[in-house]
Amino acid sequence: EKSLIAGLEPETESAAPVAVAEKSAAEEKPAAHDDFLHLGAWEGKATASAAFASGNSRNAAAGLKLDAKQEAGRLTHNIGIYLDYGESNDVKSQQRWGAAYKLDYRIEDGTYAYGRISYDEDEFSGFDYRLFAGLGLGHTYFDTETFKLKVEGGPGFRYSPIDDSREIEKEFALYS
């Protein structure tokens, strides 16, 4: 009986490479490019901003925004995150952040259906936080390196607890 290690026989007078046995169909899994959570290559962009001013008052503001996209067959995963902060005369005057996830499903060339969910918090807006979930349709009319025109929209539901009254706004909304 001979043992195989890395596809080679042990040293003998006539040592020759031995073919590695083919994997059975159960062991070999096809690449699943249409899987919902396929983690392939992501592309995206990051934007940072800052503004400082002094004189009669001192103002400072900074922001960060991240957008990422990953295509997996007919599916496109879109993630967005933002954060903005500001101070005026050493007193906080702006603090907001949020995140959104949108899943696009390509129906045909240029046309797609989507589902979107987002979360926003803005300390100076009058609500504790705001949740939105919705579905819709979109179409890309132009998509070149220098110009892109895409129109999308659909119905959704928004949930917003109000800061002062502790009431909860529940309303149908449109996303466009």
Side-chain angles (χ1 to χ4, degrees), residues 25-36:
E27 292 174 335
E28 194 172 307
K29 295 180 182 175
H33 295 289
D34 255 348
D35 285 349
F36 176 71

Side-chain angles (χ1 to χ4, degrees), residues 1-160:
E1 185 175 318
K2 296 180 182 179
S3 65
L4 293 176
I5 299 175
L8 298 175
E9 288 185 21
E11 290 283 330
T12 63
E13 290 179 22
S14 61
V18 174
V20 177
E22 292 185 30
K23 293 181 180 180
S24 70
E27 292 174 335
E28 194 172 307
K29 295 180 182 175
H33 295 289
D34 255 348
D35 285 349
F36 176 71
L37 292 176
H38 170 71
L39 296 177
W42 285 79
E43 63 182 58
K45 62 184 174 182
T47 306
S49 62
F52 302 95
S54 63
N56 292 339
S57 63
R58 289 185 316 276
N59 298 302
L64 177 65
K65 183 177 180 185
L66 304 171
D67 289 307
K69 174 171 104 170
Q70 190 260 336
E71 295 182 10
R74 290 183 170 268
L75 301 176
T76 302
H77 302 275
N78 301 278
I79 296 173
I81 300 169
Y82 71 90
L83 171 65
D84 291 314
Y85 182 82
E87 288 185 358
S88 181
N89 291 327
D90 298 323
V91 176
K92 184 174 23 172
S93 59
Q94 180 183 29
Q95 180 175 324
R96 65 185 199 111
W97 70 277
Y101 172 76
K102 186 169 75 102
L103 178 66
D104 297 339
Y105 177 80
R106 189 176 69 247
I107 298 170
E108 60 182 46
D109 218 15
T111 302
Y112 58 95
Y114 70 85
R116 182 179 196 280
I117 186 164
S118 64
Y119 177 87
D120 295 288
E121 235 180 74
D122 187 341
E123 190 171 316
F124 297 93
S125 68
F127 59 87
D128 282 342
Y129 61 89
R130 185 167 276 170
L131 288 170
F132 175 85
L135 302 171
L137 291 173
H139 187 79
T140 302
Y141 292 97
F142 298 100
D143 191 1
T144 68
E145 284 187 37
T146 57
F147 182 74
K148 183 173 193 169
L149 176 61
K150 179 167 68 169
V151 177
E152 63 182 27
F157 183 77
R158 187 168 56 197
Y159 178 90
S160 309

